[in-house]
Amino acid sequence: MKCTGVVRKLDELGRITLPIELRRNLGVGDKDPLEIFVDEDTILLKKYQPADIFTGEMEDLIDYKGKKVSRESVLKLAEKAGLKISE
């Protein structure tokens, strides 16, 4: 992990502000979703990238009831259900 030298205090609501230079360097725009990960005493923020809920793949996604599923997973599920799909 690389130290940025930036220190921020939490406000009374538990929020922090990410410096504009850091957001620009990492390609994080206003209102971009961030994922939060915890590893022991470390908090990691990562720009959220939607992925297939079954495989984690990020290509060729379909939105189904608020969840992302790849076309490949849909075809495999159809096959597993005994359905014949012609493309």
Side-chain angles (χ1 to χ4, degrees):
M1 213 179 303
K2 181 179 170 185
C3 180
T4 63
V6 176
V7 176
R8 292 284 196 241
K9 290 185 180 181
L10 294 175
D11 70 9
E12 59 278 349
L13 296 177
R15 299 175 297 196
I16 59 170
T17 302
L18 299 176
I20 189 72
E21 302 84 21
L22 188 59
R23 288 183 278 145
R24 283 182 183 148
N25 288 340
L26 298 175
V28 176
D30 292 346
K31 302 196 182 202
D32 279 352
L34 298 176
E35 270 188 292
I36 303 170
F37 298 89
V38 177
D39 183 16
E40 295 182 18
D41 66 344
T42 301
I43 299 170
L44 180 70
L45 300 175
K46 181 180 175 190
K47 188 172 178 180
Y48 175 69
Q49 300 274 343
D52 182 312
I53 60 170
F54 299 109
T55 65
E57 293 293 320
M58 296 181 182
E59 302 293 321
D60 205 14
L61 299 178
I62 300 168
D63 187 58
Y64 179 72
K65 294 189 178 185
K67 305 290 184 192
K68 300 293 183 187
V69 184
S70 69
R71 291 183 190 279
E72 183 179 339
S73 288
V74 171
L75 292 173
K76 286 182 180 178
L77 286 168
E79 182 182 309
K80 192 160 189 78
L83 303 173
K84 303 271 187 209
I85 305 292
S86 60
E87 294 184 42

